[in-house]
Amino acid sequence: MNVFVTGATGWIGSATVDELLKAGHKVVGLVRSDVSAASLEAKGAKVLRGDLDDLDSLRRGAAEAEAVVHLANKHDFANPAESDRAERAAVETLAEALVGTNRPFMVATGMSGLFQGRPVLETDPSPDVSPDSHRGGAENLALDYVGRGVRTIIIRFAPTVHGAGDWGFVNFLVSAARKHGVSGTSMTAPTHGPRCTVRMPPSSSGLESRRRRPDHACMRSQRKPSPPGRSPKPSDAPSISR
């Protein structure tokens, strides 16, 4: 397949591109800098210059692809409203380019703040709908395109994703713990469910299997809640719901 990936050189995107190429797919990655372009080309992927504000590039990448994996996000914590606006505009642009094609459209979202006081279930719909809500309501916006011939797949990640070579949030926590000799945590935080997900190479077989599915699927990265007194079992692992 010819797969268009936004955020292709990011923490999750780099692993996604590696796995797609390993499986024999052709990858076109959206990049902003020369360094990112060189990194992507060195892997054997093609480069499409642009960013989340370059809607023409997003439209072109999606229109020429057989599947789209949207992983990019501005993550501008100083201006979350701008991040939300850009996310909604990007998702809408990508989805519009796929209308009527029945091609897979994978959109990465998060579980942070989704619900309070209980574990998040894979069957829980996102309460964020309006443009001024978290991530601009992009998850529900993407799912609205299912009825317009787009095979939307929502991928919900834990609040942070980490692994060897991590340069993100968990890396900052580890660095602080090494410097000060302690690692702080909230004593009032619930103990069920993962706070973060260790980055593992994503399975490209999931992408191929969804080519044969007539409807959309939602992937959740949270375990099902365990009854009181019972530890999670392997059967509680993340699953896919139709």
Side-chain angles (χ1 to χ4, degrees):
M1 296 180 68
N2 180 25
V3 185
F4 177 49
V5 182
T6 69
T9 58
W11 178 238
I12 299 173
S14 58
T16 302
V17 169
D18 289 345
E19 190 70 11
L20 287 170
L21 292 172
K22 182 180 178 180
H25 299 294
K26 297 179 181 179
V27 175
V28 176
L30 184 73
V31 299
R32 293 177 295 173
S33 69
D34 293 340
V35 173
S36 294
S39 172
L40 205 58
E41 289 174 336
K43 293 182 176 184
K46 293 184 178 180
V47 167
L48 177 61
R49 292 286 190 145
D51 56 33
L52 291 184
D53 291 323
D54 185 355
L55 302 184
D56 287 338
S57 290
L58 293 178
R59 193 175 296 109
R60 174 187 169 193
E64 296 177 355
E66 295 175 274
V68 174
V69 183
H70 177 49
L71 302 174
N73 189 280
K74 286 189 173 183
H75 295 300
D76 186 352
F77 299 111
N79 190 357
E82 169 57 21
S83 293
D84 294 342
R85 180 208 61 78
E87 175 69 0
R88 186 177 183 89
V91 166
E92 183 175 27
T93 299
L94 294 168
E96 283 290 338
L98 297 173
V99 167
T101 66
N102 201 34
R103 295 172 183 168
F105 179 33
M106 302 184 183
V107 180
T109 65
M111 296 187 299
S112 178
L114 199 61
F115 289 100
Q116 300 295 329
R118 67 170 177 81
V120 178
L121 306 179
E122 62 183 17
T123 53
D124 285 330
S126 170
D128 300 316
V129 178
S130 65
D132 59 350
S133 60
H134 181 59
R135 284 182 175 263
E139 177 176 323
N140 283 307
L141 176 63
L143 289 172
D144 285 343
Y145 280 85
V146 171
R148 299 180 61 188
V150 179
R151 261 188 289 174
T152 299
I153 301 166
I154 300 300
I155 309 172
R156 285 182 178 172
F157 290 100
T160 186
V161 180
H162 70 100
D166 181 16
W167 62 79
F169 180 66
V170 171
N171 177 57
F172 297 146
L173 296 180
V174 172
S175 297
R178 287 173 173 169
K179 178 180 180 180
H180 300 289
V182 295
S183 177
T185 185
S186 171
M187 298 303 293
T188 60
T191 58
H192 47 253
R195 301 290 197 287
C196 55
T197 300
V198 178
R199 189 190 75 173
M200 301 294 288
S203 172
S204 61
S205 61
L207 174 62
E208 293 182 348
S209 67
R210 283 169 187 77
R211 295 182 66 188
R212 299 188 294 270
R213 298 180 71 164
D215 54 355
H216 73 283
C218 295
M219 298 178 64
R220 312 300 192 211
S221 58
Q222 174 69 289
R223 289 192 179 95
K224 298 175 183 177
S226 302
R230 182 175 75 80
S231 299
K233 295 181 180 180
S235 60
D236 295 330
S239 60
I240 301 173
S241 63
R242 296 178 62 179

